[in-house]
Amino acid sequence: MAILPIYLDGTEPLRKKAKPVKELDMNTIALIKDMFDTMHAADGIGLAANQVGVLKRIIVVDISSLEDTKDIKPFALINPEVISKAGKCTMEEGCLSIPSVRAEVVRPDKITVKYRDSNFNEQQIVADGILARVILHEIDHLDGVLFTDYVPKSKLKEYKELLEKIKNGDIEIKYPVVTNQRVLL
Ligand code: NI
């Protein structure tokens, strides 16, 4: 088990586009396992490879801690791609890379996503509600997009000081992180 430090807002990998995974080698298998460990250690419900500083198109999702979705087993999505979307819904979001900041974001309500599973087999999933929300949030990470990019500047003002602190590494967080200034283990 390896818990990797999570890159915070202000670090480079969060703004880079991750590259498709071509084959499932030992490194990728180990990375996926470490991503699950890292997400669980931080009490997260989703994590993208960019957030651990790796530019591969891999996300992990675990919403089994939520009452309504406790039967959905944790799963990894390699090279996820939204192939259809419908509706719109507003939900409050947070992010392990932007701790303590929460804001409402409008996203599609229902999506169909094509991906490869942790055995590299092709899969397709239809998701709505919180599952769709987490998958869309994490796919955004793979494209260098953060949820705060959708939040109006007037609303982000509330968090100005906190966002500055995150960017300057001037924060205390209960999981290991990499800030733009230093690594905090
Ligand atoms: Ni996030």
Side-chain angles (χ1 to χ4, degrees), residues 46-48 51 94-98 137-138 141 145-147:
L47 188 75
Q51 291 180 278
C95 179
L96 293 174
S97 293
I98 321 173
H137 175 118
E138 300 311 330
H141 273 302
V145 174
L146 300 175
F147 84 94

Coordinates of all heavy atoms in Angstrom, one line a residue, residues 46-48 51 94-98 137-138 141 145-147, ligand 1:
G46 N -13.3 10.4 -5.4 CA -12.8 10.3 -6.7 C -11.4 10.9 -6.8 O -11.0 11.7 -6.0
L47 N -10.6 10.4 -7.7 CA -9.2 10.9 -7.8 C -8.7 10.7 -9.3 O -9.0 9.6 -9.8 CB -8.3 10.2 -6.8 CG -6.8 10.7 -6.7 CD1 -6.8 12.0 -5.9 CD2 -5.9 9.7 -6.0
A48 N -8.0 11.7 -9.8 CA -7.5 11.5 -11.2 C -6.0 11.5 -11.1 O -5.4 12.0 -10.1 CB -7.9 12.8 -12.0
Q51 N -3.7 14.3 -10.2 CA -3.7 14.8 -8.8 C -2.6 14.1 -8.0 O -2.3 14.5 -6.9 CB -5.0 14.5 -8.1 CG -6.1 15.4 -8.6 CD -7.4 15.1 -7.9 OE1 -8.1 14.2 -8.3 NE2 -7.8 15.9 -6.9
G94 N -16.5 19.7 -4.3 CA -15.2 20.0 -3.6 C -14.1 19.2 -4.3 O -14.4 18.5 -5.3
C95 N -12.9 19.3 -3.9 CA -11.8 18.6 -4.6 C -10.6 18.5 -3.6 O -10.3 19.4 -2.9 CB -11.4 19.5 -5.8 SG -10.0 18.8 -6.7
L96 N -10.0 17.3 -3.6 CA -8.9 17.0 -2.7 C -7.7 17.9 -3.1 O -6.9 18.2 -2.2 CB -8.4 15.6 -2.8 CG -9.4 14.5 -2.3 CD1 -8.9 13.1 -2.6 CD2 -9.7 14.7 -0.8
S97 N -7.7 18.5 -4.3 CA -6.6 19.4 -4.7 C -6.9 20.9 -4.3 O -6.0 21.7 -4.4 CB -6.3 19.3 -6.2 OG -5.8 18.0 -6.5
I98 N -8.1 21.1 -3.8 CA -8.5 22.5 -3.4 C -9.2 22.4 -2.1 O -10.4 22.7 -2.0 CB -9.4 23.2 -4.5 CG1 -8.9 22.8 -5.9 CG2 -9.4 24.7 -4.3 CD1 -9.8 23.4 -7.0
H137 N -16.2 15.4 -13.0 CA -15.2 16.2 -12.3 C -13.8 15.6 -12.5 O -12.9 16.3 -12.8 CB -15.6 16.2 -10.8 CG -14.6 16.8 -9.9 ND1 -14.9 17.9 -9.1 CD2 -13.3 16.5 -9.6 CE1 -13.9 18.3 -8.4 NE2 -12.9 17.4 -8.7
E138 N -13.7 14.2 -12.4 CA -12.4 13.6 -12.6 C -11.9 13.6 -14.0 O -10.7 13.8 -14.3 CB -12.5 12.2 -12.1 CG -12.9 12.0 -10.6 CD -12.1 12.9 -9.6 OE1 -10.9 13.2 -9.9 OE2 -12.7 13.2 -8.6
H141 N -10.2 16.8 -14.6 CA -8.8 16.8 -14.1 C -7.9 16.3 -15.2 O -6.8 16.9 -15.4 CB -8.7 15.9 -12.9 CG -9.0 16.6 -11.6 ND1 -8.4 17.7 -11.2 CD2 -9.9 16.2 -10.6 CE1 -8.8 18.0 -10.0 NE2 -9.8 17.2 -9.6
V145 N -8.6 20.8 -16.1 CA -9.7 21.7 -15.7 C -10.0 21.4 -14.2 O -10.1 20.2 -13.8 CB -10.9 21.5 -16.6 CG1 -12.1 22.3 -16.1 CG2 -10.6 21.8 -18.1
L146 N -10.2 22.4 -13.5 CA -10.6 22.3 -12.1 C -12.1 22.8 -11.9 O -12.5 23.7 -12.7 CB -9.7 23.2 -11.2 CG -8.2 22.8 -11.2 CD1 -7.4 23.7 -10.4 CD2 -8.0 21.3 -10.7
F147 N -12.8 22.3 -10.9 CA -14.2 22.7 -10.8 C -14.3 24.2 -10.5 O -15.3 24.9 -10.9 CB -14.9 21.9 -9.7 CG -14.7 22.4 -8.3 CD1 -15.7 23.2 -7.7 CD2 -13.7 22.0 -7.5 CE1 -15.5 23.7 -6.4 CE2 -13.5 22.4 -6.2 CZ -14.4 23.3 -5.6
Ligands
NI1 NI -11.0 17.1 -7.9

